[in-house]
Amino acid sequence: MTPSAPAAQLQTVQDRIAAAQKRAGRPDGSVTLVAVSKTFEAPDIRPVLEAGCRVFGENRVQEAKAKWPALREAFEGVELHLIGPLQSNKAAEAVALFDVIETVDREKIARELAREMDRQGRRPRLYVQVNIGQEAQKAGIAPGEAVAFVERCRAAHGLAIEGLMCIPPLEGDPAPHFSALAGLAREAGLEKLSMGMSGDFEEAIAQGATSVRVGSAIFGGRG
Ligand SMILES: *Cc1c(COP(=O)(O)O)cnc(C)c1O
């Protein structure tokens, strides 16, 4: 892949998002692209920043910590999302580094985040991750517990949850899972839905995604 390939692919993805938004009868700008830069290094990420993208997703705290401080020095206005599982011993680093944490999925993490946010005086925006396909190997709170968990985050920990996030099962039609997440968000009184990846972001937009997390369609395969 030539150095400028990610920038060209970014444009293609942005065009596809705009078209899917229009087909769904949703206003321009109602879907945010989170460019998932995990496993890619600065030479691949820079052209995407130069093309104007400012919202990025990383799935590991340590990796993000190694890459992003220097990129943030070079580019203003970066918004970094944590989209991978968070261990409670990394909560302090996550609060310091990320602007949005999309993977709040259990009591202990909620408690640690609340404590760190008070300590650091920094309040990243938060999403609750739902294990929408109820898969044993996947992170996320069970769908049946999600609404109560959102409530408990507010009531017991003072955490304002902004939306829900999911990764549907690899196999099968993702649309019913996207639609189920949208239903849970309505029940919980939340307007934001982080759902849809390279293979299915158009379906997610049709089901109401307000942000899509797209990696390989922009940066290429991760090997
Ligand atoms: C890697 C990852 C993505 C992006 O996946 P692609 O298929 O490369 O677009 C989105 N969300 C999460 C949680 C991820 O870990």
Side-chain angles (χ1 to χ4, degrees):
M1 196 176 286
T2 64
S4 62
Q9 289 171 165
L10 171 70
Q11 184 61 54
T12 304
V13 167
Q14 285 168 333
D15 292 346
R16 286 171 60 192
I17 289 172
Q21 231 171 215
K22 197 164 180 189
R23 278 197 303 276
R26 301 179 53 197
D28 284 352
S30 50
V31 180
T32 299
L33 169 62
V34 180
V36 177
S37 49
K38 66 185 186 195
T39 77
F40 289 93
E41 298 295 332
D44 289 309
I45 301 172
R46 279 181 163 270
V48 174
L49 282 156
E50 276 154 12
C53 185
R54 285 295 180 274
V55 185
F56 289 84
E58 290 282 345
N59 68 335
R60 295 175 57 204
V61 175
Q62 291 315 113
E63 183 185 342
K65 205 177 160 189
K67 288 189 325 203
W68 280 96
L71 288 167
R72 277 186 145 143
E73 289 273 305
F75 295 89
E76 259 182 81
V78 167
E79 179 181 299
L80 205 54
H81 292 225
L82 178 63
I83 60 170
L86 178 57
Q87 306 304 319
S88 50
N89 64 0
K90 296 273 169 62
E93 286 173 297
V95 166
L97 187 62
F98 289 94
D99 305 292
V100 182
I101 296 173
E102 297 202 11
T103 50
V104 182
D105 67 351
R106 57 194 188 278
E107 194 69 33
K108 190 174 180 200
I109 286 295
R111 194 166 52 236
E112 284 301 316
L113 287 174
R115 194 190 353 239
E116 277 309 321
M117 285 162 74
D118 287 343
R119 184 146 51 199
Q120 297 183 29
R122 237 185 91 76
R123 304 198 78 78
R125 288 144 52 202
L126 303 175
Y127 283 63
V128 164
Q129 181 175 0
V130 181
N131 186 357
I132 200 71
Q134 309 199 55
E135 296 170 280
Q137 78 284 10
K138 231 169 228 168
I141 190 140
E145 295 169 24
V147 175
F149 179 61
V150 168
E151 256 321 300
R152 211 157 53 243
C153 283
R154 289 183 189 126
H157 304 294
L159 294 175
I161 301 297
E162 181 172 297
L164 301 181
M165 177 269 212
C166 78
I167 311 168
L170 212 54
E171 303 293 326
D173 182 3
H177 296 292
F178 293 148
S179 157
L181 194 74
L184 290 174
R186 267 193 305 277
E187 232 184 289
L190 301 173
E191 286 176 3
K192 302 284 185 180
L193 287 169
S194 170
M195 56 189 196
M197 312 187 354
S198 291
D200 57 18
F201 66 86
E202 282 137 329
E203 287 96 318
I205 291 168
Q207 299 294 336
T210 56
S211 59
V212 293
R213 309 176 309 268
V214 179
S216 49
I218 297 170
F219 292 102
R222 285 180 296 269

